[in-house]
Amino acid sequence: MRVGLLAESQPFHIWPAGAARPQGYDVELLARIARDSGLRFDYLRYERWDQLLKDLAAGQVDVVTATARTTDRAIWMGFTRTYATADQGFAGRREQTSVPSTPDLGGRRLALVRSFATESIAAERFTLAPRLV
C-alpha cells in the first residue's frame, strides 16, 4: 500500500529532506500493522497537502495518516477509528489574550493553510469573516 506523508506533520510524523525514511508515531503504528497483517507500506513524501490530497483522489496514494475528518472529506474518503487527537488553538500576539467567538472574528485576522481542516473549521465557526486568498 502506498502511504502519502507530509514532510512535516508534527506531532504525528516528520520526514526531513534527504532522510531515507520518515519517523514518528504514524510510522510506528503502520509498522505494527504491517507486522500483524503482513501488509507492506511504501512511503511517498509530500511537501504540500493539496498535492497529497490530489494524488489520494487520483488513486496514486492508498493511505493518508494524521488527517482530520471534516464533512466534505467524509464524502469521498474512508476514515478509520480515531487513533490520536490533537487540540487546536489560536496563536497570536502576546497582548491578545482573548479568542473571539463572534462569527466575524471580532475584527481579527486568521491565517490558514488551504485544504487543511482548519480552513473548513474556521469557515463553519466564523461565517461572517471575510476570506482572502
Side-chain angles (χ1 to χ4, degrees):
M1 297 187 81
R2 295 172 308 252
V3 179
L5 294 177
L6 282 177
E8 177 71 36
S9 190
Q10 297 269 5
F12 303 104
H13 60 263
I14 186 168
W15 195 345
R21 292 189 46 86
Q23 320 172 7
Y25 179 73
D26 289 351
V27 179
E28 292 173 15
L29 182 63
L30 289 171
R32 182 173 179 174
I33 291 171
R35 269 193 319 272
D36 294 347
S37 68
L39 289 171
R40 184 178 135 211
F41 296 106
D42 296 319
Y43 298 99
L44 303 170
R45 184 179 184 276
Y46 287 85
E47 291 282 340
R48 294 184 26 220
W49 177 247
D50 58 344
Q51 185 61 51
L52 174 52
L53 282 184
K54 181 180 171 188
D55 286 358
L56 178 66
Q60 296 173 11
V61 171
D62 301 308
V63 176
V64 175
T65 66
T67 303
R69 182 182 206 139
T70 61
T71 305
D72 55 329
R73 288 180 185 168
I75 293 171
W76 66 276
M77 295 172 80
F79 285 85
T80 64
R81 285 189 343 235
T82 301
Y83 63 92
T85 59
D87 291 330
Q88 294 183 3
F90 287 97
R93 292 186 182 95
R94 186 174 307 191
E95 64 272 11
Q96 291 182 335
T97 57
S98 66
V99 175
S101 59
T102 57
D104 64 354
L105 279 174
R108 290 184 174 92
R109 291 180 290 176
L110 194 60
L112 304 168
V113 177
R114 180 178 293 154
S115 81
F116 274 51
T118 49
E119 182 183 31
S120 61
I121 292 167
E124 291 171 13
R125 292 185 183 168
F126 307 112
T127 54
L128 300 179
R131 309 265 186 283
L132 300 175
V133 178

